[in-house]
Amino acid sequence: MIDPGFFITFEGGEGAGKSTQIRFLAETLRAAGHEVVLTREPGGTPLAEAIRGLLLNAGDPPEAMTQALLFAAARFDHVSRVIRPAMRAGQIVLCDRFADSTRAYQGEAVAEDALEATILLGTSGLVPDLTLLLDLPPEAGLARARQRGTAGDAFERADLAFHARVRARFLALARREPDRIHVVDADRPAEAVAASIRALVVAHTAIDLAGAGA
Ligand code: Z5A
């Protein structure tokens, strides 16, 4: 049976504006009369939030395969307890990061076959209806995070060259799945980025934004 809801994910590097844009889109969707669930990865359930704490606060980060397995465990809990039930209830789920983040970050050090196996377990086959990839040079994203005073977790401390490779892997994923993953230039004022996102939602989903004043 096909779930009546929609599943939209936001992806991109550190400080690209995902949290900001996900809030804007949630407001627009709610103004148009939709029920929206706003969630994030790693996280979204008490267990997955605990795994998030383990991963992001690790003084000595675990190996990439260990990270991938922990992300998969957190994701399975999140998908089965939050995302799928919301979609079954006809709600629109907006998720800050999902499996493409595993591909972009852990793809640095884990072989593709093994990584895709962990992703399949974690998602239990769930694929987003639409993925918005907020693209920004890593220098700009890290500067934004630093300005906010939060550029300090285990991933954010990685060097600039690593973040440049993460960006390249995200863009390669978008080229591989152009129907699902849409690149949004995030190096613009937040309102311009939000307008592009609204246009992509209208163009690539059956979600009606009429009435939201968008
Ligand atoms: N990770 C992984 O390795 N594997 C996985 O499978 C998953 C995750 C799921 C935690 O993610 C880490 O987990 C992440 C990858 C790894 N590490 N990194 N790097 P997170 O979601 O907690 O952290 P984040 O992605 O780095 O989020 P963030 O720093 O909160 O960034 P953001 O949500 O994209 O940006 P923001 O909070 O909306 O904006 C950042 C600042 O810029 C803020 O002060 C805004 O007011 C400002 N901002 C926003 N938009 C603009 C524009 N357009 N112009 C100027 N300033 C702006």
Side-chain angles (χ1 to χ4, degrees), residues 8-28:
I8 300 178
T9 58
F10 285 67
E11 297 280 7
E14 159 73 1
K18 298 177 297 301
S19 317
T20 303
Q21 293 300 330
I22 212 168
R23 281 197 304 272
F24 283 166
L25 183 60
E27 276 171 30
T28 301

Side-chain angles (χ1 to χ4, degrees), residues 12-21 40-42 52 56 67 71 75 96-99 101-102 105-106 144-145 148 150 153 155-156 163 186 188-190 193:
E14 159 73 1
K18 298 177 297 301
S19 317
T20 303
Q21 293 300 330
R40 69 170 182 181
E41 290 215 344
R52 177 188 182 92
L56 302 193
Q67 292 175 21
F71 281 118
R75 186 165 297 137
D96 192 339
R97 295 193 182 278
F98 193 63
S101 280
T102 305
Y105 285 86
Q106 284 65 53
R144 283 184 191 175
R148 200 184 48 181
T150 58
D153 75 34
F155 292 91
E156 292 160 2
H163 287 291
R188 294 178 293 156
V193 178

Side-chain angles (χ1 to χ4, degrees), residues 27-34 198 202 207-214:
E27 276 171 30
T28 301
L29 290 168
R30 286 178 180 135
H34 299 286
R198 289 194 295 271
V202 168
I207 296 172
D208 185 3
L209 291 188

